[in-house]
Amino acid sequence: QLQLVESGGGLVQPGGSLRLSCAAPGLGVETFAFAWFRQAPGKEHEEVSCMSMRDGTINYADSVKGRFTISRDNANDTVYLQMDNLKPEDTAIYSCTAKLFSCSGGVARWGQGTQVTVSS
């Protein structure tokens, strides 16, 4: 079973930074796009960012544009989400996903999620 394993969450003060990692061994970029979702308590899942190396797409939610950066290290099959200038409203469980073929595709795999808490 091909799995996604996130790491890097934690507690950070407003204005701080965190980098989330998502190990995705065996999930090739020719087949999958990779997206980060988040879910705050009592709210729906929100797609934060997506990248497809197959067609060069990189998307960000308006709420994180200019603060978050998605990237991938192909040598290590790892996807990253660099989060800067964090705000309390960024507090959520962040999950890495693999989407079929493009950022418009359906989610084929979910990671277990990692908690990000932004608080002073």
Side-chain angles (χ1 to χ4, degrees):
Q1 182 82 11
L2 299 174
Q3 294 184 326
L4 301 167
V5 181
E6 300 102 330
S7 60
L11 172 65
V12 64
Q13 292 186 341
S17 297
L18 282 175
R19 189 177 76 160
L20 305 182
S21 300
C22 172
L27 296 172
V29 295
E30 68 281 355
T31 304
F32 297 98
F34 295 90
W36 288 93
F37 283 77
R38 67 185 180 186
Q39 187 174 30
K43 294 190 176 181
E44 299 288 323
H45 277 103
E46 175 191 20
E47 183 170 316
V48 172
S49 181
C50 183
M51 72 179 303
S52 169
M53 299 194 74
R54 191 180 186 200
D55 62 17
T57 300
I58 296 180
N59 296 326
Y60 296 98
D62 288 342
S63 56
V64 306
K65 277 182 183 175
R67 300 188 298 121
F68 290 13
T69 304
I70 192 170
S71 62
R72 178 181 168 95
D73 180 346
N74 289 330
N76 294 311
D77 287 339
T78 301
V79 180
Y80 300 98
L81 185 68
Q82 177 67 41
M83 305 186 295
D84 298 318
N85 191 21
L86 282 161
K87 304 176 181 180
E89 52 263 43
D90 294 319
T91 296
I93 295 173
Y94 285 72
S95 298
C96 176
T97 68
K99 291 186 164 187
L100 281 175
F101 301 118
S102 74
C103 288
S104 301
V107 175
R109 294 284 189 276
W110 283 87
Q112 83 283 1
T114 185
Q115 177 70 47
V116 171
T117 302
V118 185
S119 175
S120 55

